[in-house]
Amino acid sequence: MTTSAPVLIYGNDLSALMAALRLVDLGVPLQLILPKPVQLCPQAGWTDGLSVSGPSPEELKNHVHDSLLKSMGLSDPAYLENMCAMAPEILQYLTRAGLPVERNVEGAVKRILGAEASVSRLLQSGLKTTQQILNILDSQILRFETSGHLVVHSGWDLVTPVISNDRQHLKGVIFKNHENQDFTILPCQSLIVSDVDGILISRLYQKGLALKNPEFLRVPKDALDHFRFFSMNASLGGLKTDSGHQTDVVGLYVSGEASASKHGADVPDGNRILENLYSGIKVAQTVHADLKKDHPVSGDRLLDFSREMNLLKQSQQQILDMAGPENVWRMRDELFMALHEGCVSRRDHESLNQALDVIHDLKERWPRIGLNDHAPFYNPEITQIQNLYDELVLAEVMILSILMRTESRGGHRRDDFDSTDDAHFLKHTRVTCHERGPEISYDDVSEYNQKMPDPFQTRLSPEVA
Amino acid sequence: MPSHFQITILRQDHTDLKPYPETFEIPLKPRMTVSDTLKHIRRFPVNINGKVVAPVVWQDACVNENCTCQFLVGGRVSSGCKTRIEDLACPVLLEPLSKFKVLRDLLVDLSPLRQARQKLKAWNDLSTMFADHVLSRQSHRQSEDQIRLNSCLSCGACLEVCPQYNQRSPYGGVEALARAALFQQTDVGRLQSENRQAILRSRVGIEGCDNAQNCVRACPQGIPLTEVLVGLSR
């Protein structure tokens, strides 16, 4: 059944904007929901450059090779190959749209050598290349908004997707409006989530979507006092999707930071931005192809929404009634400190268990938070109390996964297990949410990765992880 | 350094409600900024009379030196995350920007900036996403100038200090002009610059500027706004 319902895209980051622009390019009607203006996307603080290999085939092979090497066997090789190959076209698009790039003495784009790179391929636009790209992509969004090619809603937070009873399809999405804290339901059949928060990762996990490699989630070094917690800057773990960014729920796609990186264990300089941009294009192309297929449509759409709405209103009321002695912002400080001491400055069995104890303590104290802000308008405290709950869930899963991966590999290190253990851990971690707690299991890597490519070999096989 | 300081914040519970001052006494730490003060109030939301109040709301999104939190501190436009309490006369007076609709407390509505960019068509018109293109050559200096123009964060400081910018005037403000100027300088944008000439030279655009030069001093990103204005008026 074809539908005229627009695709919904949620997010204000590189991946969401590229997905929106690519879908406009492909002629697909869509609505873009920006939780905040693009200028306020946390990715604007990144200081990474953009890796784009030069024109010769050797340079491209080199780029792919460096990417695979850094991933330490946990990559999706075909995805990375396509990503590196598309980089020059992506650069052309961005520069045509107005992105300034630093130039060399002869006026061509300047390529510098990234850390551990064997060939110069890193481009920069000043110190904050990502912020520059975000501004340019935003100008294109504004262009299409003005011409009517896409609809933009600002200031809505995604609260939850509504999924069918059998957990098979997406039926709609519920948003909360910053201004008046009202909920808005949008029935929809295709939703792309691209979000730099850990919040949505946690919520979708709690709704039944699997996590991949959560031990590779990154805890920020400084205690940032923002709505988001994990500040998924260049996070490697996240929600599990296939190469096209589909989740197990038909119609629900996750791209960008919220999806587990196709780089696996670690990312070379300049590939973070590239992966984000490419993932936006990739998910848009997947959605475009999927829209042409038939989807079974289930009949009880409205009933499900009212059930979800009632649950949401109950949990909202629960927060409004909170009058305990705890302060949500100070509790977040405690969580940050515990994660920093348990997973960043030290990362061993003892420190991780100490962090876990703090998390359990905070979970137990969460109902005793007191809400100081009862205003029905622009109320960050209500949002933060719910967010803290979701952050605690994700933090616990992350620590349990770190504890179980008793080796060091790329972005995941263990001070007490400092070598890489391929025999046991050349695998992807999968975590699913159950009543009794998180269930952690391991999936084999692709055949290509199992053969552990010789670092000097640059020929690639097109297998997918 | 004294152990505490007082700060009076002009609060407003909603756009349609009256603003009111509220004073807090805060422990002073070295290098503490105005934003640090607001973060402290969230954690200890008690005013100087000992009353527990709703924490002060502001646009809390500054990351890694990218500042988006502009306020009036002692009547002057200042960056919240870069202004240190120890450099200020106390008691500190903290107010929201005056030229924008207050949504709540220090949070203001900056959507007029986006609307101004729409009027000035601050973008390049492209055919499709992927097309044949030869990257034009540019000097390092040219790319640097454009990088500076493109580092705008839409914080509103330049508009707040501009004597010509207000709700009654059609002047769109230097922020949108700087954005438009960026695209005028790109190789695609240069070909399309005729589309913007009329509006850029109108009262919405450059004709609205009266050369006060306050904007360039207020910009937290150091964008050479007066150079932009001079360039556009040629």
Side-chain angles (χ1 to χ4, degrees):
Chain A
M1 183 209 110
T2 52
T3 176
S4 59
V7 173
L8 296 184
I9 302 183
Y10 178 77
N12 64 350
D13 62 331
L14 294 170
S15 177
L17 300 179
M18 279 305 274
L21 292 168
R22 183 60 176 144
L23 281 173
V24 169
D25 197 44
L26 292 167
V28 175
L30 72 104
Q31 293 186 21
L32 174 64
I33 292 102
L34 299 175
K36 279 187 177 166
V38 171
Q39 284 72 35
L40 302 181
C41 176
Q43 290 182 336
W46 286 6
T47 52
D48 203 9
L50 173 64
S51 272
V52 179
S53 56
S56 74
E58 270 309 311
E59 285 171 281
L60 173 59
K61 268 193 222 159
N62 202 286
H63 190 187
V64 177
H65 172 76
D66 283 353
S67 307
L68 291 174
L69 206 59
K70 196 87 165 136
S71 75
M72 298 188 71
L74 299 188
S75 68
D76 178 336
Y79 188 100
L80 293 185
E81 191 180 345
N82 291 332
M83 177 193 83
C84 293
M86 199 183 255
E89 281 183 75
I90 294 175
L91 175 68
Q92 296 228 352
Y93 169 62
L94 293 174
T95 51
R96 283 160 59 224
L99 178 72
V101 178
E102 281 176 37
R103 304 289 170 141
N104 61 18
V105 291
E106 58 169 275
V109 294
K110 183 158 102 173
R111 290 188 157 84
I112 63 174
L113 200 59
E116 299 167 321
S118 38
V119 157
S120 296
R121 68 176 79 95
L122 195 60
L123 308 176
Q124 290 180 313
S125 306
L127 188 62
K128 308 250 174 74
T129 306
T130 311
Q131 189 231 324
Q132 299 271 320
I133 297 175
L134 283 167
N135 266 341
I136 294 300
L137 293 179
D138 191 36
S139 74
Q140 290 295 307
I141 296 285
L142 191 61
R143 171 183 161 221
F144 288 125
E145 192 185 353
T146 308
S147 65
H149 283 91
L150 61 80
V151 173
V152 178
H153 299 289
S154 292
W156 291 6
D157 278 334
L158 197 160
V159 181
T160 182
V162 182
I163 299 173
S164 61
N165 286 333
D166 55 3
R167 285 189 176 180
Q168 298 285 326
H169 340 277
L170 179 73
K171 299 157 81 64
V173 194
I174 304 182
F175 297 96
K176 188 161 95 156
N177 188 322
H178 287 173
E179 184 187 342
N180 49 25
Q181 313 288 302
D182 274 350
F183 294 115
T184 302
I185 307 170
L186 286 182
C188 93
Q189 289 188 287
S190 306
L191 169 69
I192 299 175
V193 171
S194 175
D195 191 49
V196 284
D197 268 337
I199 309 301
L200 280 183
I201 296 183
S202 179
R203 287 202 193 142
L204 290 174
Y205 158 76
Q206 292 174 64
K207 273 217 109 67
L209 282 123
L211 289 176
K212 180 169 164 183
N213 296 338
E215 61 273 34
F216 290 91
L217 288 168
R218 290 221 182 142
V219 181
K221 289 202 210 92
D222 41 340
L224 298 168
D225 188 20
H226 298 275
F227 289 121
R228 72 195 178 286
F229 167 69
F230 284 89
S231 171
M232 299 309 220
N233 288 342
S235 182
L236 298 159
L239 288 161
K240 184 175 185 321
T241 65
D242 68 8
S243 298
H245 293 283
Q246 292 204 68
T247 64
D248 290 335
V249 173
V250 172
L252 182 55
Y253 306 82
V254 183
S255 68
E257 302 289 336
S259 64
S261 167
K262 307 300 184 201
H263 279 85
D266 210 348
V267 184
D269 280 349
N271 275 22
R272 287 179 186 91
I273 300 182
L274 180 57
E275 183 177 4
N276 269 273
L277 293 168
Y278 177 75
S279 74
I281 297 174
K282 181 80 174 160
V283 71
Q285 289 176 178
T286 306
V287 168
H288 179 238
D290 283 352
L291 284 174
K292 296 183 180 160
K293 295 181 199 156
D294 284 341
H295 284 311
V297 177
S298 141
D300 59 338
R301 179 173 301 192
L302 284 168
L303 211 60
D304 276 357
F305 286 359
S306 62
R307 187 162 49 90
E308 288 280 351
M309 282 297 290
N310 285 335
L311 283 171
L312 273 181
K313 289 196 172 134
Q314 271 173 39
S315 58
Q316 178 95 328
Q317 192 57 47
Q318 178 194 17
I319 294 178
L320 286 169
D321 292 339
M322 280 176 146
E326 301 274 7
N327 176 288
V328 63
W329 309 98
R330 300 209 299 265
M331 283 179 74
R332 283 187 90 228
D333 289 344
E334 288 183 56
L335 175 57
F336 252 109
M337 286 296 291
L339 285 179
H340 194 62
E341 284 165 20
C343 316
V344 179
S345 44
R346 270 179 66 187
R347 198 164 155 123
D348 55 49
H349 188 83
E350 187 190 350
S351 73
L352 292 163
N353 274 297
Q354 281 167 357
L356 207 51
D357 287 340
V358 173
I359 290 171
H360 291 151
D361 179 55
L362 289 168
K363 268 182 144 178
E364 199 236 326
R365 285 158 55 199
W366 185 87
R368 298 203 288 277
I369 291 175
L371 177 68
N372 293 309
D373 189 350
H374 287 89
F377 318 106
Y378 296 105
N379 190 327
E381 191 158 89
I382 292 181
T383 309
Q384 195 47 64
I385 293 175
Q386 181 58 54
N387 285 1
L388 177 61
Y389 181 87
D390 296 319
E391 286 164 353
L392 288 167
V393 167
L394 189 59
E396 183 180 33
V397 167
M398 180 183 80
I399 300 218
L400 290 172
S401 308
I402 298 174
L403 277 166
M404 287 201 54
R405 186 177 278 269
T406 49
E407 62 149 9
S408 287
R409 182 184 299 262
H412 161 77
R413 76 159 210 279
R414 283 288 295 264
D415 295 335
D416 47 353
F417 294 94
D418 55 11
S419 55
T420 305
D421 178 4
D422 279 345
H424 292 104
F425 290 108
L426 182 59
K427 291 187 188 297
H428 298 294
T429 314
R430 177 202 289 251
V431 187
T432 44
C433 185
H434 300 270
E435 284 273 341
R436 60 189 175 276
E439 188 175 288
I440 301 177
S441 59
Y442 295 92
D443 295 328
D444 286 332
V445 299
S446 71
E447 232 182 280
Y448 176 77
N449 277 317
Q450 278 171 31
K451 288 191 228 128
M452 279 310 284
D454 176 347
F456 300 106
Q457 181 192 325
T458 51
R459 204 168 147 59
L460 300 156
S461 112
E463 283 172 275
V464 172
Chain B
M1 188 162 49
S3 64
H4 286 74
F5 69 98
Q6 286 187 12
I7 182 166
T8 299
I9 303 177
L10 192 66
R11 304 194 62 171
Q12 191 166 337
D13 291 345
H14 183 252
T15 307
D16 302 328
L17 297 173
K18 287 175 78 100
Y20 60 95
E22 186 141 62
T23 304
F24 298 86
E25 189 163 87
I26 314 279
L28 180 61
K29 299 209 173 78
R31 297 180 302 279
M32 188 175 192
T33 64
V34 169
S35 294
D36 290 335
T37 307
L38 294 170
K39 291 174 188 178
H40 176 92
I41 293 174
R42 274 185 166 153
R43 287 156 171 81
F44 301 98
V46 181
N47 72 12
I48 201 167
N49 301 319
K51 179 171 171 230
V52 176
V53 295
V56 178
V57 175
W58 81 102
Q59 186 59 277
D60 177 22
C62 308
V63 174
N64 197 11
E65 303 288 297
N66 282 343
C67 165
T68 55
C69 57
Q70 295 291 324
F71 309 123
L72 290 175
V73 180
R76 295 177 54 116
V77 173
S78 312
S79 157
C81 61
K82 295 180 179 166
T83 304
R84 290 188 185 171
I85 302 294
E86 61 206 31
D87 295 334
L88 299 171
C90 287
V92 179
L93 176 62
L94 179 60
E95 299 165 292
L97 296 182
S98 66
K99 297 203 180 160
F100 305 97
K101 182 172 81 169
V102 174
L103 299 172
R104 189 170 169 206
D105 290 340
L106 301 168
L107 183 68
V108 297
D109 176 18
L110 292 174
S111 57
L113 277 69
R114 200 170 169 77
Q115 288 154 22
R117 273 185 264 141
Q118 267 182 314
K119 285 199 195 122
L120 295 183
K121 297 199 173 61
W123 55 72
N124 281 350
D125 273 315
L126 301 180
S127 53
T128 50
M129 184 174 268
F130 300 117
D132 283 338
H133 172 71
V134 176
L135 273 175
S136 68
R137 294 195 182 268
Q138 272 190 336
S139 71
H140 183 71
R141 176 67 195 274
Q142 280 173 317
S143 70
E144 271 192 342
D145 287 343
Q146 288 170 34
I147 288 168
R148 278 199 201 92
L149 285 177
N150 194 32
S151 64
C152 174
L153 289 161
S154 299
C155 70
C158 57
L159 304 174
E160 177 70 15
V161 299
C162 174
Q164 305 297 105
Y165 183 84
N166 56 62
Q167 305 284 6
R168 296 173 303 280
S169 131
Y171 179 41
V174 66
E175 184 254 359
L177 285 171
R179 300 289 191 130
L182 162 67
F183 294 104
Q184 301 271 86
Q185 289 178 26
T186 61
D187 55 352
V188 170
R190 230 179 288 131
L191 301 172
Q192 298 167 354
S193 59
E194 285 164 13
N195 297 342
R196 280 188 218 97
Q197 291 294 17
I199 190 104
L200 276 177
R201 292 184 192 283
S202 71
R203 283 187 310 147
V204 174
I206 197 75
E207 212 186 284
C209 168
D210 204 27
N211 234 330
Q213 303 203 13
N214 291 348
C215 51
V216 66
R217 286 189 283 266
C219 176
Q221 298 287 82
I223 300 173
L225 293 167
T226 39
E227 276 177 41
V228 168
L229 294 165
V230 165
L232 286 174
S233 59
R234 268 198 222 107

